[in-house]
Amino acid sequence: MEKAEIQPLYDNYHRKIAKISLDFKRYLYSNINWNARMIGIKGARGVGKTTLLLQHILENHENMDDTLYASMDDLWFASHTLMDLVDWADRRGITRLYLDEVHRYKTWSETLKNIYDSYPDMRIVYTSSSLLAMDNGKVDLSRRQTLYTLHGLSFCEFLEFENVYRMQPLSMEALLNDHVRIAMNITKEIKIEPLFETYLEHGYYPFYKDDHDDFSAHLREIVSVVIDNDLPAVENVSYETIQKTKRLLMIISEHVPFEPNMSELWKQLATNNELGLRMLYSLDKAQILSLLTEKAKSYKYLYKPDKVFINNTNLMHALCPRVEVGNARETFFQNQMAVVHEVNTPKKGDFLVDGRYLFEVGGKNKTFDQIKDVPDSFLAVDETEVGFANRIPLWMFGLLY
């Protein structure tokens, strides 16, 4: 293969990297072992996976053409294979490839295994839809790759992204035991409540800065693309199932947080329990929904969730006919906490975290009545700059990553 034949990939790569800035890096950037032979980065559309790859290239390759970035949905792959690209790179001494949207390549798992086994000097970093699981492919890559998941911006990252406040994420211990001092230090520097309100509407997906006026419309388009394109690329689903998945999402978005009556829900969708649960869990993996369960969630053994949330408050504003403030509060708490801690359904209260800490979420007048006398119980209260004792401002739960 001549260089002219591969030039379209380089042209696209150069166009993209020319727009990349190193001013702000996502939380995951410094946590990745970039020296691993094969790295997978999963995440929802729009959370910044491509930027993460290109930032690493820009920061670590003095000559951009010592490596190569390619998106697997590029038309170039309609007439060439990934092995064509790897062989071309290997013959020119290129040992690092960055592959975007790898789930769009039909034989992704077999091909990545073959590259790993046949080209021992080649290192690959790839991104994929959050729908992709290591056992989705025909071969098991778990022993060969290091896998990471990128979530949307935390409130902590949003403050830095807006260039108004920069801090290290809090541990759970610091949040629970030292929240008063921390909140006082932050709120003497910035007005936190208007920033928090802004974040809830359009601060979770980094592209909001480039697409502010059409942000909600863009989010709805992303959801459609995930269901129409990403889901069939990863799962063996029919057109009818795709349409039912959209219908399921619309039903849930009108009643979030949704406490499902499964028999009634499946009746509305004209489906059965097995297929219905598969649709629910697929939307959870895609980071469109978030399922709250009593025990640890499993994608191999599907069971009825206790509550169904829209994944984040930005999606709520884009998908839900009405955004009720109490629902938005719970959605924010679930979304931010679940990135770094296990969140389950408690017997009392709203959320059980790490099997120990019990939380009730509400407004500034929320009381301990529902969880009184329960050890390790806390209130996450909105409309509050600085808390007291076990009353912690809701916005501070966005400072955990």
Side-chain angles (χ1 to χ4, degrees), residues 92-302:
R92 281 154 182 79
I94 294 174
T95 59
R96 289 182 181 267
L97 290 179
Y98 297 83
L99 306 176
D100 221 352
E101 302 281 304
V102 75
H103 61 281
R104 302 299 298 275
Y105 192 77
K106 188 174 182 180
T107 58
W108 65 271
S109 58
E110 304 99 304
T111 305
L112 290 180
K113 174 187 178 297
N114 288 339
I115 295 169
Y116 188 96
D117 294 342
S118 302
Y119 296 86
D121 294 329
M122 188 66 69
R123 282 173 163 74
I124 288 183
V125 185
Y126 73 84
T127 74
S128 77
S129 163
S130 55
L131 278 161
L132 202 63
M134 285 187 290
D135 57 0
N136 269 115
K138 295 182 179 178
V139 300
D140 182 11
L141 290 172
S142 59
R143 292 178 294 106
R144 295 174 172 84
Q145 69 178 346
T146 305
L147 194 66
Y148 300 89
T149 300
L150 181 64
H151 297 269
L153 291 169
S154 67
F155 184 51
C156 181
E157 289 184 292
F158 170 77
L159 294 177
E160 181 180 347
F161 197 38
E162 285 289 302
N163 200 31
V164 294
Y165 196 84
R166 182 173 184 172
M167 63 177 289
Q168 290 298 311
L170 300 180
S171 66
M172 178 69 86
E173 181 182 10
L175 175 63
L176 299 184
N177 297 322
D178 202 20
H179 64 88
V180 174
R181 182 188 63 82
I182 295 168
M184 290 178 68
N185 287 340
I186 294 173
T187 56
K188 72 181 180 183
E189 299 284 341
I190 57 176
K191 294 289 186 183
I192 203 72
E193 290 195 35
L195 288 163
F196 184 52
E197 291 173 6
T198 299
Y199 171 82
L200 295 179
E201 291 190 15
H202 60 253
Y204 186 74
Y205 297 90
F207 67 81
Y208 75 85
K209 279 196 174 182
D210 302 319
D211 197 15
H212 189 275
D213 292 340
D214 298 316
F215 180 69
S216 288
H218 193 168
L219 276 186
R220 290 191 291 272
E221 290 172 10
I222 284 177
V223 170
S224 291
V225 170
V226 169
I227 297 174
D228 287 336
N229 296 339
D230 294 350
L231 181 58
V234 173
E235 303 280 1
N236 183 19
V237 293
S238 66
Y239 175 79
E240 182 183 12
T241 298
I242 291 170
Q243 299 309 306
K244 287 183 178 181
T245 302
K246 289 182 176 179
R247 172 66 177 148
L248 172 64
L249 178 60
M250 289 301 98
I251 291 172
I252 290 171
S253 67
E254 292 174 0
H255 302 92
V256 290
F258 185 68
E259 298 183 19
N261 177 328
M262 290 310 196
S263 58
E264 180 60 32
L265 183 57
W266 305 151
K267 184 178 178 181
Q268 288 186 60
L269 293 169
T271 192
N272 57 48
N273 186 63
E274 180 182 357
L275 182 56
L277 286 175
R278 278 182 55 202
M279 288 188 286
L280 264 182
Y281 276 80
S282 290
L283 289 172
D284 180 88
K285 283 193 290 185
Q287 297 178 20
I288 294 172
L289 296 180
S290 184
L291 309 184
L292 188 65
T293 55
E294 185 177 353
K295 54 186 177 180
K297 197 161 45 183
S298 168
Y299 294 116
K300 289 188 177 181
Y301 306 102
L302 309 184

Side-chain angles (χ1 to χ4, degrees), residues 264-372:
E264 180 60 32
L265 183 57
W266 305 151
K267 184 178 178 181
Q268 288 186 60
L269 293 169
T271 192
N272 57 48
N273 186 63
E274 180 182 357
L275 182 56
L277 286 175
R278 278 182 55 202
M279 288 188 286
L280 264 182
Y281 276 80
S282 290
L283 289 172
D284 180 88
K285 283 193 290 185
Q287 297 178 20
I288 294 172
L289 296 180
S290 184
L291 309 184
L292 188 65
T293 55
E294 185 177 353
K295 54 186 177 180
K297 197 161 45 183
S298 168
Y299 294 116
K300 289 188 177 181
Y301 306 102
L302 309 184
Y303 49 87
K304 174 184 175 293
D306 298 303
K307 273 188 180 181
V308 181
F309 293 86
I310 299 295
N311 178 269
N312 60 79
T313 57
N314 289 190
L315 277 177
M316 283 188 79
H317 283 276
L319 296 176
C320 299
R322 299 169 304 280
V323 177
E324 199 273 323
V325 64
N327 296 343
R329 290 166 179 160
E330 290 190 21
T331 298
F332 169 79
F333 184 96
Q334 156 81 359
N335 169 259
Q336 299 283 281
M337 183 67 78
V339 172
V340 286
H341 294 278
E342 183 178 342
V343 183
N344 298 111
T345 310
K347 291 182 172 59
K348 288 183 178 181
D350 292 326
F351 300 97
L352 181 65
V353 176
D354 294 339
R356 174 182 175 183
Y357 303 108
L358 184 64
F359 290 93
E360 273 278 315
V361 178
K364 61 183 177 181
N365 296 320
K366 186 75 175 178
T367 69
F368 277 92
D369 289 349
Q370 291 179 272
I371 54 174
K372 62 183 178 181

Side-chain angles (χ1 to χ4, degrees), residues 17 19 34 38 49 75 131 169 182 229 303 348:
I17 207 162
K19 299 178 180 179
W34 293 102
M38 185 175 292
K49 301 185 300 295
L75 282 174
L131 278 161
I182 295 168
N229 296 339
Y303 49 87
K348 288 183 178 181

